[in-house]
């Protein structure tokens, strides 16, 4: 797992500077074929939520070019939207995690004002191994179970 700092001080959007991207390229060159999870705060893909897309990662093309050269499985995980969104940056799968406190309102109309909802929280659990990368959604709360079932 590699974490990247996408913070642009004083701004709502994210960015990755040349120094960070060079560092990432060097790390990947040493990683070989191992599965790789790259974590950052700002999603490098449009989510369809206009207000959040204005605050996403700017100029993600350089990140895409570096990650697509990695010979092993790669997944980008991000936050910022406080809801589960799945997409891809070129051939690299991207998943944003749900929030534990609130979620940006899911409204895909371009004229929507920025709002948030109090929804059930959740976390993502990621597992990387020889067979690839899996991500699981774990809702937070008090749930009944586990219950046996015939499989």
């Amino acid at each position: 797992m590699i974490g990247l700092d996408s913070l642009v001080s004083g701004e709502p959007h994210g960015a990755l500077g040349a120094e960070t991207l060079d560092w990432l390229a060097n790390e990947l060159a040493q990683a070989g074929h191992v599965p790789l999870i790259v974590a950052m705060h700002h999603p490098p893909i449009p989510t369809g939520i206009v207000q959040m897309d204005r605050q996403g990662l700017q100029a993600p093309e350089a990140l895409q070019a570096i990650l697509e050269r990695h010979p092993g499985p790669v997944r980008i995980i991000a936050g910022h939207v406080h809801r589960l969104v799945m997409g891809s940056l070129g051939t690299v799968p991207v998943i944003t995690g749900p929030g534990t406190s609130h979620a940006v309102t899911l409204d895909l109309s371009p004229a929507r004002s920025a709002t948030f909802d109090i929804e059930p929280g959740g976390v993502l659990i990621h597992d990387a191994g020889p067979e690839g990368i899996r991500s699981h959604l774990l809702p937070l709360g008090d749930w009944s179970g586990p219950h046996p079932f015939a499989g």
Side-chain angles (χ1 to χ4, degrees):
M1 177 176 246
I2 292 180
L4 300 177
D5 182 3
S6 60
L7 177 70
V8 177
S9 187
E11 299 293 336
H13 66 271
L16 299 173
E19 184 177 327
T20 298
L21 293 170
D22 288 344
W23 175 83
L24 176 62
N26 288 332
E27 290 295 310
L28 291 183
Q30 297 174 30
H33 292 288
V34 300
L36 179 65
I37 296 174
V38 177
M40 66 185 69
H41 183 75
H42 297 86
I45 59 167
T47 65
I49 304 170
V50 175
Q51 300 81 7
M52 297 311 294
D53 290 342
R54 290 186 198 122
Q55 299 178 21
L57 186 74
Q58 292 189 341
E61 300 81 14
L63 174 65
Q64 176 183 340
I66 292 169
L67 293 180
E68 286 183 339
R69 290 193 306 257
H70 182 63
V74 180
R75 173 159 306 149
I76 298 171
I77 61 174
H80 197 58
V81 186
H82 290 230
R83 74 168 44 259
L84 180 68
V85 178
M86 294 180 278
S88 62
L89 179 64
T91 61
V92 179
V94 177
I95 187 168
T96 67
T100 58
S101 59
H102 66 276
V104 173
T105 303
L106 179 58
D107 186 332
L108 304 177
S109 64
R112 177 72 182 189
S113 60
T115 60
F116 67 90
D117 295 322
I118 304 300
E119 297 180 357
V123 295
L124 295 176
I125 306 295
H126 307 283
D127 176 28
E131 60 283 336
I133 301 170
R134 293 176 296 270
S135 297
H136 302 269
L137 171 63
L138 180 63
L140 298 178
D142 293 323
W143 314 106
S144 174
H147 302 280
F149 69 96

